[in-house]
Amino acid sequence: MNDNPQPEPLTLHAADGYPLGGFVWRHRTRSIDGEPRALAIVNAATSVRCRYYFRFAAWLHRHGWDVLVYDYRGIGESRPARLVQLDASWLDWGERDFEAVLHYAREAFPGQPVDVVAHSIGGLVTGLAPSAATIRRVFTVGAQYAHWRDYAPRTRLPMLLKWHVAMPLLTQLCGYFPAARLGWMEDTPRGVALSWSRSRARFEDTYVRAPIARSPEARAALVQRLAAFTAPILAVSITDDPFGTIAAIERLLSYFTHAPHTHLRIAPEQIGVKAIGHFAFFHSRFETQLWPLALHWLRAGAASPEYVAPRNRSTVLFKTNSAIVRGQRPTEEPS
């Protein structure tokens, strides 16, 4: 077996004709041990290039999955020549881009189960696609939609100033958010920057003002689409992630009313490290410590044996050292 499989470049088109770039790791056969081989799709965090997830994708491929990573419109392989001319919001990333990927999956991987690994906004994106009913299982990391009141208390003020003051101001000046030159993330379409900076306690209320406005009926339809999602979700959050607080993770999960879900919260000290944060889960240094959580969930639809999966879909799991406490919701994050 090739321990370093190389992905194939991929270009597909959304229903509106927009070209999306990505990469796919394929096996020669569509079955494994007599069963259809699963396809895993990675839905990235906001304005994080799909290449960031290459090592994780190749690792999943070595463990039996076909894997597809792609960039949302405006980002990385899917960036147009002039970003200032692109109108795209978080809703477009789900309703158009991820939907296009699901259509491609049905055509290119017929009969194969589809799993999703979603990072940050990728969790919301997953539920927005009209074809999301075709998904078998979902594994999320730090999945939320950046409502500022949910940020960790110790970092809330600087994050509020950065993402809800500076970002919309720079976006208004430039016509897009020039994040790359600031070293914050990839340059970002105007509508995505506004989706983030205007994010409300109810995510659909973000879309009440131009240029990203949706009608009341369209906003209600978004909520109904998330409620109709039924694939089981394992939502992992990290205690030192300033975005992925308990309140933030639970706020998004509350929309998936018909999807069995488990919230598993992990502290860096549990695995003998000082920090993990919002991004490091996908670093290769956690291949043996954290990545098996995703593997076991996608393979078996259950939490890893070291955790006890709750029967009640709304139960949150908190693991402290070797003890597991069910159903307790701390009122604030550790400092």
Side-chain angles (χ1 to χ4, degrees):
M1 179 184 293
N2 183 2
D3 289 335
N4 295 289
Q6 296 302 305
E8 306 167 18
L10 169 71
T11 301
L12 54 92
H13 290 82
D16 63 347
Y18 193 95
L20 301 169
F23 300 87
V24 63
W25 287 255
R26 302 177 194 266
H27 288 272
R28 293 181 179 178
T29 63
R30 292 179 178 171
S31 62
I32 182 170
D33 298 330
E35 297 293 329
R37 186 186 303 279
L39 166 70
I41 300 171
V42 178
N43 279 346
T46 297
S47 301
V48 175
R49 299 186 66 165
C50 68
R51 291 175 179 271
Y52 181 79
Y53 305 94
F54 264 27
R55 290 187 177 88
F56 178 79
W59 180 84
L60 268 185
H61 180 265
R62 291 196 298 272
H63 284 83
W65 272 258
D66 290 328
V67 186
L68 189 157
V69 302
Y70 70 103
D71 282 314
Y72 309 123
R73 63 184 63 199
I75 308 301
E77 309 296 321
S78 304
R79 177 169 177 155
R82 287 180 54 79
L83 188 57
V84 70
Q85 295 178 341
L86 178 64
D87 286 322
S89 72
W90 278 339
L91 302 185
D92 295 301
W93 285 0
E95 293 177 321
R96 296 183 176 184
D97 299 351
F98 183 46
E99 177 70 6
V101 173
L102 289 176
H103 276 277
Y104 172 82
R106 287 200 299 271
E107 295 173 359
F109 301 88
Q112 296 180 232
V114 174
D115 297 326
V116 175
V117 175
H119 183 201
S120 195
I121 199 59
L124 176 63
V125 164
T126 298
L128 291 175
S131 297
T134 61
I135 298 168
R136 180 179 68 167
R137 297 186 186 110
V138 179
F139 179 87
T140 71
V141 178
Q144 37 65 50
Y145 53 85
H147 175 52
W148 71 271
R149 290 185 182 276
D150 292 339
Y151 295 156
R154 65 186 179 278
T155 58
R156 184 175 298 150
L157 180 57
M159 290 175 69
L160 179 64
L161 294 174
K162 180 176 182 178
W163 301 118
H164 301 267
V165 177
M167 181 164 61
L169 286 175
L170 289 171
T171 299
Q172 184 175 6
L173 287 172
C174 300
Y176 68 95
F177 181 42
R181 70 187 70 176
L182 300 172
W184 291 1
M185 55 186 185
E186 294 294 307
D187 291 342
T188 302
R190 176 179 60 164
V192 171
L194 293 178
S195 294
W196 184 341
S197 62
R198 294 180 182 179
S199 187
R200 300 293 183 262
R202 297 286 303 178
F203 97 91
E204 67 273 18
D205 292 341
T206 302
Y207 301 94
V208 297
R209 291 190 289 125
I212 58 173
R214 293 286 182 96
S215 69
E217 295 77 15
R219 296 198 301 273
L222 294 172
V223 176
Q224 293 168 2
R225 192 176 303 153
L226 295 182
F229 190 87
T230 58
I233 302 168
L234 177 58
V236 170
S237 65
I238 311 297
T239 58
D240 69 333
D241 176 359
F243 291 104
T245 62
I246 294 167
I249 304 301
E250 290 293 300
R251 191 181 297 277
L252 176 58
L253 286 176
S254 70
Y255 280 92
F256 293 98
T257 55
H258 288 86
H261 52 258
T262 300
H263 180 179
L264 180 61
R265 193 150 178 85
I266 299 172
E269 56 267 25
Q270 290 174 222
I271 61 171
V273 299
K274 293 182 179 180
I276 301 173
H278 191 58
F279 294 100
F281 182 99
F282 295 97
H283 290 188
S284 57
R285 67 178 181 271
F286 293 122
E287 176 179 335
T288 60
Q289 296 167 299
L290 294 178
W291 292 3
L293 287 171
L295 183 67
H296 193 275
W297 175 257
L298 298 181
R299 178 176 288 158
S304 263
E306 64 202 83
Y307 303 101
V308 179
R311 294 182 180 179
N312 184 329
R313 67 170 180 263
S314 64
T315 300
V316 181
L317 286 188
F318 301 97
K319 186 184 178 196
T320 305
N321 297 325
S322 61
I324 295 197
V325 182
R326 292 195 192 181
Q328 296 186 11
R329 301 171 185 265
T331 56
E332 60 183 43
E333 296 296 310
S335 59

